[in-house]
Amino acid sequence: MKKKILISINPEHVQNIIKGIKKYEYRKIAAKQDIFSIIIYETTPVKRIVAEAEIIDVLMDSPEELWKITKNESGISKEFFDEYFEGRDIAYAYKLGKIKVYDEPKTLLDYGIKAAPQSFVYV
């Protein structure tokens, strides 16, 4: 059964996802289970769950190859990408589809979660 994950994303990137500038969410670790959606927790100063993004695909490749594939819709700089994946052999990217912005942002406790996840948590 497909699941959702909740991930923490900083406000700048959240806004770029909502605006459609950032179509990929990069991660050092990918969910092992089959997921169909990312619930977006916007970090400080917002500290709220603000949106949900459909996952169209999960890409896994070397950082160099992944950048070649995703750079035009990355919403981030090459420098930021390189710094994030420094020393990694494998990089992951969730290709984002439809974005649903919540009318009323939610709290982590609304999902029974006590603290913002470092990487992700299944919901």
Side-chain angles (χ1 to χ4, degrees):
M1 189 175 111
K2 288 191 171 200
K3 299 193 174 217
K4 296 180 181 185
I5 56 171
L6 183 141
I7 60 175
S8 303
I9 303 176
N10 79 41
E12 174 193 353
H13 298 313
V14 171
Q15 291 312 307
N16 285 336
I17 288 169
I18 290 169
K19 291 176 190 166
I21 296 165
K22 189 174 193 300
K23 304 247 184 206
Y24 292 94
E25 178 54 28
Y26 299 99
R27 293 283 142 169
K28 295 173 186 171
I29 301 166
K32 301 237 184 299
Q33 298 181 35
D34 202 11
I35 57 170
F36 70 93
S37 184
I38 291 174
I39 296 169
I40 298 171
Y41 173 78
E42 190 169 342
T43 59
T44 304
V46 178
K47 294 185 178 176
R48 289 283 184 267
I49 295 165
V50 297
E52 192 168 327
E54 169 191 35
I55 296 173
I56 296 172
D57 198 6
V58 182
L59 307 176
M60 180 186 103
D61 215 322
S62 68
E64 297 77 23
E65 286 304 310
L66 193 65
W67 180 254
K68 286 179 193 172
I69 297 164
T70 63
K71 64 183 177 187
N72 293 334
E73 296 179 310
S74 68
I76 60 172
S77 69
K78 177 74 161 80
E79 293 75 24
F80 185 91
F81 180 91
D82 287 344
E83 195 174 298
Y84 184 71
F85 287 115
E86 186 176 355
R88 298 278 173 160
D89 295 326
I90 300 293
Y92 300 91
Y94 294 108
K95 182 168 175 49
L96 307 177
K98 292 183 190 143
I99 310 295
K100 177 187 173 199
V101 179
Y102 298 150
D103 294 332
E104 287 287 318
K106 300 174 181 167
T107 68
L108 289 170
L109 285 176
D110 290 337
Y111 288 82
I113 298 167
K114 290 188 171 82
Q118 285 291 55
S119 54
F120 67 88
V121 63
Y122 291 101
V123 177

